[in-house]
Amino acid sequence: MVRKYSAVVLVAALVSACAVSPTGRRQLSLVSESSAIAASKEAYLAQMNELGAAGKLVTDPNVTRRIDQITGRLVAQAVMLRPETAQWEWSVEVIDDPETINAWCMAGGRMAVYTGLIQKLDPTDDELAQVMGHEISHALANHTAEKMSVAMATQAGVAAAGIFAEDNAGAIMGVAALAAQYAVQLPNSRTAESEADEIGIEIAAKAGYNPNAAVTLWEKMGAASGEGPPQFMSTHPSPTNRQARLRELAPQWMESYRAATNPPTYQLQDAAPAR
Ligand SMILES: [Zn+2]
């Protein structure tokens, strides 16, 4: 009975009150951001260690250097926008999966890009920066915790019954990590998409990447969905008038883009030691 009580306390620790996004929107927040970050770390390291052991993490410096360079510049801007994220363990891995057009960023700044996105979309650096900037923005705006809340409230509800039966604190963390893993596969809301579009184009421009590439990127993404929907499109549903909104936003950030002649870079962490 005592052990069961401690499990309840732990679950309560994972749960926080409602939160407000950077654009002022109220979010469903059953999972606190710090819990989402801890769970995401566990999920990320487990997945990357597994992929590394299977030889599925790209080590070709021609690929990784490009991704690191773009991401490092974007993260430097993300940190300026939300200074406490300087404490995050920002990192990015390139997953060798030529059929998957996808990229994501978990709570706490742990990212992945799939080779399918690079090979099938053939993005310019400016366009790649828009993808990564968009992903980083989902994390900055706490969308991962929001999706984890959904995952916890649905899937984990079932799993929770198992936890209480097990009376195991470790199992609770396991469920949170599962929810973190599951969250990157859940679609964002259209409102979250609009937020990520807005923040993404801003940090990319300030990092020295052409805002017009946001328009061409989504055109390429749309064209790629002709041969079967890319994973990216299923997790990033198109908000109403995305293209029109991006065309409207792009000129607003041209000045920041032109001013960013020598943008700073954030030193990324090496996330997955096992290769
Ligand atoms: Zn998105």
Side-chain angles (χ1 to χ4, degrees), residues 134-135 138 188 193 196 218 232 235-236 242:
H134 179 96
E135 289 313 303
H138 277 308
N188 289 286
E193 280 304 294
W218 286 103
F232 193 83
T235 50
H236 299 71
R242 165 174 268 154

Side-chain angles (χ1 to χ4, degrees), residues 65-219:
R65 207 178 293 140
R66 181 185 183 207
I67 298 293
D68 285 353
Q69 208 163 47
I70 294 171
T71 310
R73 273 162 60 174
L74 292 167
V75 171
Q77 295 305 320
V79 167
M80 279 188 236
L81 212 61
R82 245 195 97 183
E84 72 270 28
T85 65
Q87 307 307 316
W88 287 9
E89 294 168 316
W90 294 95
S91 62
V92 63
E93 292 290 336
V94 183
I95 298 172
D96 182 10
D97 183 349
E99 292 310 312
T100 300
I101 302 179
N102 205 8
W104 43 256
C105 179
M106 287 176 152
R110 293 168 199 278
M111 290 168 261
V113 188
Y114 293 72
T115 50
L117 188 145
I118 301 166
Q119 289 165 15
K120 287 185 192 276
L121 294 194
D122 192 23
T124 62
D125 282 4
D126 292 309
E127 289 166 344
L128 208 41
Q130 299 297 334
V131 180
M132 301 311 291
H134 179 96
E135 289 313 303
I136 287 169
S137 300
H138 277 308
L140 278 184
N142 201 22
H143 294 157
T144 325
E146 194 176 12
K147 285 200 288 178
M148 268 183 71
S149 299
V150 175
M152 297 282 273
T154 52
Q155 279 229 327
V158 181
I163 292 168
F164 289 121
E166 281 178 41
D167 275 345
N168 185 342
I172 291 174
M173 194 57 215
V175 167
L178 265 181
Q181 189 69 68
Y182 183 60
V184 296
Q185 298 164 33
L186 280 178
N188 289 286
S189 67
R190 282 172 171 75
T191 315
E193 280 304 294
S194 297
E195 279 181 356
D197 281 346
E198 280 188 33
I199 305 167
I201 203 167
E202 175 182 347
I203 60 173
K206 290 177 174 173
Y209 295 106
N210 194 327
N212 291 319
V215 178
T216 55
L217 164 80
W218 286 103
E219 279 169 3

